[in-house]
Amino acid sequence: MKTRLYLILLVLIFDTTAFAVCLYAQNEIHWLPNQPGKWSYKHQLYGEIGDYKLTPGEVAGYRQKIETMVETFHQNPVLKNPVGFEPSVNVRIFDENTGFMRTPLTKPLTKLLVGGRIAILFCPYFQDKSGQVQKHCMEVTSCDIDFNYPKSTAESYLNYGADGYHEDLSAAADKLNRVFIKPRVVKELAEGVTAYSSGIIVVAGTTRPPYWIPVTIDELFKLQLDYYELNYKLNKEEYVSEIINVIKNDRATYSPEQLKLPAYYNSSTIARITDNENENPYMQFNPEYFDRSLPRNDVQIIAVHTLTEVYNDNCNCSKYNNYEAQKHCEFVKQIDANALKALLDVK
């Protein structure tokens, strides 16, 4: 009986897979790469903008900044005259900057820079069974432009959890999770405009302090010990006590001078820390980058999440296996770095 059920299951899986492949093939036949496209932007703000308690004038000014950013990207030749796809644009306001600007978790949003995201989706056209032209906008390649959102400038953040059960442990984990491994530079597009291997272009003021700063060995050890010691105090699990002892012993091997050095990733220890320079230094966002004398709705940093790999030598857009990714690739190659710099309210 089990054998029969197993065989039936295999048949069902095969049939479902075959149906999906067939359906995809049918849709693929009906893609319309030569269909004239249009620019699609609804001029709406989604998210928590009301929680920032901006004045009507500040909201109007903020909307104008977003309009300028959107229109700047619209001027890219691939989006200005789209063919075979529709650039579908939406805007969302973020409230996730707490902690990246040395702001206590209890501080209201009225004390924070207003952060947001402009998402440009590359939605390819296809023809449905009735002959109507439709756009496919589910799980398509996109370019996300984040502004005043420090966390989005990097990836490869540490990942310590607290299961949400204890506020202090969550805060200790949050501090650790602001540390990340620095990505390599793919290309300097202009002064203050850098494309990284993480798939992010960071646009920053050139007269401001650096937006990323190294994490010292001592800082990272302390963050880890604070986290694990509180974890052990709350849960009394023996393996956590063992981790604490290993980290303390590891830290004791460094001299006071070495503890002040930048920390680098090392996979051979529990703490994952070494003073040996390598391509993986630990970094964190520098809260001193922001100019606090400026209005909270000014644009001070931009992170463009896109296909930065196209800046590698001999990258051909034809390597992508779907039309919208090819158009995204062409779009990235024609990004105007100086136009991006002009969007900043810091210099």
Side-chain angles (χ1 to χ4, degrees), residues 206-246:
T206 56
T207 63
R208 301 299 306 150
Y211 49 87
W212 295 338
I213 53 176
V215 179
T216 68
I217 294 172
D218 198 36
E219 283 179 298
L220 195 47
F221 272 130
K222 185 178 185 304
L223 288 172
Q224 292 182 353
L225 288 171
D226 286 348
Y227 170 79
Y228 283 114
E229 286 174 347
L230 182 55
N231 190 310
Y232 181 73
K233 180 180 178 181
L234 293 171
N235 302 311
K236 301 297 183 183
E237 294 175 315
E238 188 59 32
Y239 81 93
V240 177
S241 177
E242 293 174 2
I243 290 175
I244 292 171
N245 290 332
V246 171

Side-chain angles (χ1 to χ4, degrees), residues 29-275:
I29 291 173
H30 292 91
W31 293 132
L32 302 173
N34 298 317
Q35 176 71 28
K38 64 178 180 178
W39 176 250
S40 176
Y41 173 44
K42 296 181 180 180
H43 303 266
Q44 293 180 351
L45 299 182
Y46 300 95
E48 309 300 328
I49 190 167
D51 292 344
Y52 286 92
K53 306 299 182 184
L54 300 174
T55 67
E58 288 174 326
V59 173
Y62 191 61
R63 286 182 177 274
Q64 184 55 55
K65 292 177 187 295
I66 290 173
E67 297 289 331
T68 301
M69 283 192 282
V70 169
E71 185 56 29
T72 296
F73 283 92
H74 183 199
Q75 292 306 307
N76 185 293
V78 175
L79 303 186
K80 192 172 185 179
N81 298 294
V83 178
F85 75 102
E86 179 175 308
S88 183
V89 183
N90 60 70
V91 180
R92 182 167 185 83
I93 306 306
F94 280 130
D95 61 355
E96 301 177 24
N97 280 336
T98 301
F100 281 82
M101 290 178 278
R102 288 188 184 153
T103 304
L105 293 173
T106 56
K107 187 83 73 170
L109 294 180
T110 53
K111 300 296 183 181
L112 293 175
L113 288 174
V114 185
R117 169 175 293 172
I118 298 168
I120 304 173
L121 283 71
F122 292 73
C123 305
Y125 289 121
F126 69 96
Q127 191 174 54
D128 63 20
K129 292 181 180 179
S130 66
Q132 296 295 314
V133 175
Q134 305 284 352
K135 67 174 181 179
H136 172 67
C137 244
M138 295 293 291
E139 298 183 0
V140 296
T141 182
S142 68
C143 174
D144 296 334
I145 302 102
D146 294 343
F147 47 97
N148 293 347
Y149 185 27
K151 184 176 181 179
S152 73
T153 62
E155 291 186 344
S156 299
Y157 286 95
L158 301 184
N159 186 23
Y160 287 77
D163 298 326
Y165 295 133
H166 195 279
E167 184 175 342
D168 289 342
L169 186 58
S170 295
D174 181 63
K175 290 178 182 179
L176 264 172
N177 294 341
R178 295 176 211 163
V179 176
F180 60 91
I181 296 174
K182 184 180 180 180
R184 67 175 179 84
V185 173
V186 176
K187 187 176 182 179
E188 297 286 353
L189 303 180
E191 186 182 13
V193 185
T194 307
Y196 291 98
S197 58
S198 54
I200 301 172
I201 300 171
V202 177
V203 187
T206 56
T207 63
R208 301 299 306 150
Y211 49 87
W212 295 338
I213 53 176
V215 179
T216 68
I217 294 172
D218 198 36
E219 283 179 298
L220 195 47
F221 272 130
K222 185 178 185 304
L223 288 172
Q224 292 182 353
L225 288 171
D226 286 348
Y227 170 79
Y228 283 114
E229 286 174 347
L230 182 55
N231 190 310
Y232 181 73
K233 180 180 178 181
L234 293 171
N235 302 311
K236 301 297 183 183
E237 294 175 315
E238 188 59 32
Y239 81 93
V240 177
S241 177
E242 293 174 2
I243 290 175
I244 292 171
N245 290 332
V246 171
I247 292 177
K248 285 183 174 179
N249 290 335
D250 192 1
R251 184 183 182 280
T253 64
Y254 292 88
S255 68
E257 292 73 23
Q258 288 175 312
L259 289 173
K260 297 176 184 178
L261 295 174
Y264 291 84
Y265 176 77
N266 173 23
S267 62
S268 63
T269 68
I270 287 180
R272 302 290 193 267
I273 297 172
T274 182
D275 63 338

Side-chain angles (χ1 to χ4, degrees), residues 113 208 291-300 345-346:
L113 288 174
R208 301 299 306 150
D291 184 346
R292 289 169 174 76
S293 68
L294 294 177
R296 292 188 299 126
N297 59 353
D298 274 6
V299 178
Q300 297 203 39
D345 291 304
V346 295

